[in-house]
Amino acid sequence: MRVFIVAGEPSGDKLGGALMAGLKALAPDVSFHGIGGEQMQAQGLESLFPLSELSLMGIVEILPKYLHIRRRLFQTVDTAVDFAPDVLITIDLPAFNIRLAKEIRKRSPGLRTVHYVAPTVWAWRPGRAAKMAPIIDQVLALLPFEPPYMQEAGMRCDFVGHPVVAETQATAEEGAHFRESLAIGPDVPLILTLPGSRGGEIKRLAPVFGETLERVLKERPEARVVVPTVAAKADAMQAALQDWPGTPILLDPRRRTPDAAAAEKRAAFAAADVALAASGTVSLELAAANTPMVIAYDANWISRQIVTRMLLVDTFTLVNLVSETRAVPEFTGEACRPERIAPALLELLRSPGGQEEAMRLTMKRLGRGKEAPGLRAARAVLEGLR
């Protein structure tokens, strides 16, 4: 079996690596070609070009790179058609991948197409599902409430579970050791702070988070701040922290092996009393670690104006959506201001237990305790091919 598989950013690479491992377990004769990062390459993919060339977000960020991305698009189309796969699997990044699938289908009309990660039609632009239907045969969904939206538009859709449920979690002992290694006592409030992993997010959110922490530390001066980051943005994050109060501790993954850096991050999640985080999948990572959180996010002005006018939901936070609660405080758009975020973070430090049931329910509904999502996704792809 020949699979052409395309991911456009690190989260997609992670999904793709697990899916490829699942396909290799169920169909040992499988071969791969396409675009991916380290995790997909570890499963045998030779990437057509670096995944980082596609890892962009937002209208303003994409426009300057449009011509280059368009060239890469048609280079990928030519390569896919020449490879003659049995199935095309595109992972997230719909602005690139749905167009890619459309162009490939023009030249290979009978090719089966699978898109991994359902578009957020439940949040905004519901018409995207109908536009996908003539191009995509099957969707692999991460969230349990997504299949009906895709099925109504005429596509097969399988809920395969969210990868967060298969991730290793640090023990209480590892969390305690993390505190000891940084000379943070067990009774000292520890605030995990995550202002995003993209350059634009750090630029927008770091000043807001810094001022929020300044307000919090005025009331809780004994609190410590720990900031995980990714290797590619460690310098940018370090520069942003120069204006933050309380001598924040940056967890720079470049100082350790990849496995040790991942273990340190897991331990930080376990050690933290509360977290202040950007909106996104990180809320699920925090829920998996049972870390109470406040979510805050703002896009650039143009993107915010466009998206705000199209919103169909009153929360972006996945824990709130999956658990069908509003347990996690959220401050987005114009509400993403220190004077609003800081009181919520202080209240969470005083009473951190109110989110436990929502986090537990979220993990259960996302598939914790069931077959690994990568294997479920692989099984769904093979069933669809049959």
Side-chain angles (χ1 to χ4, degrees):
M1 184 175 72
R2 296 161 69 84
V3 176
F4 197 88
I5 185 167
V6 177
E9 52 189 350
S11 60
D13 177 51
K14 190 173 184 178
L15 290 169
L19 171 57
M20 290 170 68
L23 287 170
K24 287 164 68 175
L26 299 174
D29 65 335
V30 67
S31 61
F32 300 102
H33 198 14
I35 303 164
E38 292 181 1
Q39 298 200 39
M40 291 169 68
Q41 290 171 32
Q43 296 298 326
L45 181 75
E46 185 175 337
S47 187
L48 185 58
F49 53 81
L51 169 148
S52 58
E53 294 190 25
L54 301 179
S55 188
L56 300 168
M57 183 177 182
I59 296 166
V60 172
E61 291 84 354
I62 290 173
L63 283 176
K65 303 277 188 177
Y66 174 76
L67 292 178
H68 177 71
I69 292 173
R70 190 176 187 277
R71 284 192 294 270
R72 287 304 201 190
L73 173 77
F74 285 100
Q75 177 190 1
T76 308
V77 171
D78 291 340
T79 304
V81 172
D82 290 342
F83 183 63
D86 296 291
V87 61
L88 168 68
I89 303 176
T90 52
I91 306 175
D92 210 0
L93 202 72
F96 180 87
N97 277 326
I98 302 304
R99 174 74 185 279
L100 175 70
K102 181 179 180 180
E103 296 297 332
I104 293 174
R105 280 286 281 265
K106 285 180 183 178
R107 294 170 57 181
S108 301
L111 177 63
R112 183 163 182 83
T113 53
V114 177
H115 188 68
Y116 196 173
V117 183
T120 54
V121 295
W122 41 267
W124 68 303
R125 290 176 57 200
R128 285 176 290 168
K131 291 180 179 178
M132 282 176 61
I135 304 162
I136 301 298
D137 297 311
Q138 180 180 9
V139 178
L140 307 177
L142 304 186
L143 304 175
F145 53 78
E146 292 177 320
Y149 294 93
M150 302 293 105
Q151 292 161 353
E152 185 178 356
M155 293 170 282
R156 169 174 173 159
C157 186
D158 299 86
F159 168 58
V160 297
H162 197 286
V164 73
V165 301
E167 293 177 356
T168 302
Q169 300 300 320
T171 63
E173 291 75 16
E174 288 169 328
H177 178 72
F178 176 85
R179 281 178 170 263
E180 291 171 7
S181 69
L182 297 174
I184 300 173
D187 297 325
V188 173
L190 179 54
I191 304 172
L192 193 69
T193 309
L194 304 113
S197 58
R198 295 182 175 92
E201 290 174 335
I202 295 170
K203 185 177 180 179
R204 285 189 300 274
L205 296 178
V208 176
F209 282 26
E211 188 178 334
T212 298
L213 291 169
E214 186 172 357
R215 293 168 180 261
V216 170
L217 291 178
K218 281 182 180 177
E219 292 198 28
R220 302 294 297 270
E222 76 280 17
R224 300 297 305 276
V225 175
V226 169
V227 186
T229 190
V230 296
K233 299 302 176 186
D235 288 336
M237 190 69 79
Q238 182 65 68
L241 297 186
Q242 301 307 308
D243 297 326
W244 283 24
T247 317
I249 300 165
L250 180 69
L251 303 184
D252 187 341
R254 299 173 301 182
R255 297 183 292 105
R256 303 180 182 275
T257 65
D259 287 346
E264 182 180 51
K265 180 181 175 181
R266 290 194 298 268
F269 276 53
D273 293 293
V274 299
L276 170 61
S279 180
T281 304
V282 69
S283 71
L284 298 181
E285 295 174 4
L286 291 164
N290 204 34
T291 307
M293 70 199 85
V294 171
I295 298 297
Y297 194 81
D298 196 11
N300 67 67
W301 188 85
I302 295 175
S303 296
R304 186 213 299 172
Q305 299 307 309
I306 294 170
V307 172
T308 300
R309 286 165 171 75
M310 299 180 179
L311 275 182
L312 302 175
V313 292
D314 63 351
T315 178
F316 285 107
T317 301
L318 291 172
V319 174
N320 288 341
L321 289 164
V322 176
S323 67
E324 297 178 282
T325 70
R326 295 299 179 263
V328 176
E330 178 187 284
F331 302 89
T332 59
E334 293 183 357
C336 184
R337 301 200 303 268
E339 64 270 22
R340 298 191 62 175
I341 304 167
L345 197 56
L346 285 165
E347 178 58 30
L348 193 60
L349 280 168
R350 286 189 287 268
S351 304
Q355 298 178 17
E356 287 182 358
E357 177 57 21
M359 293 190 289
R360 185 201 64 78
L361 184 58
T362 296
M363 291 300 106
K364 179 181 178 182
R365 289 180 174 176
L366 291 180
R368 178 173 274 176
K370 297 181 180 179
E371 188 175 59
L375 191 58
R376 291 174 68 180
R379 202 180 302 283
V381 169
L382 293 174
E383 288 174 357
L385 276 168
R386 296 190 192 106

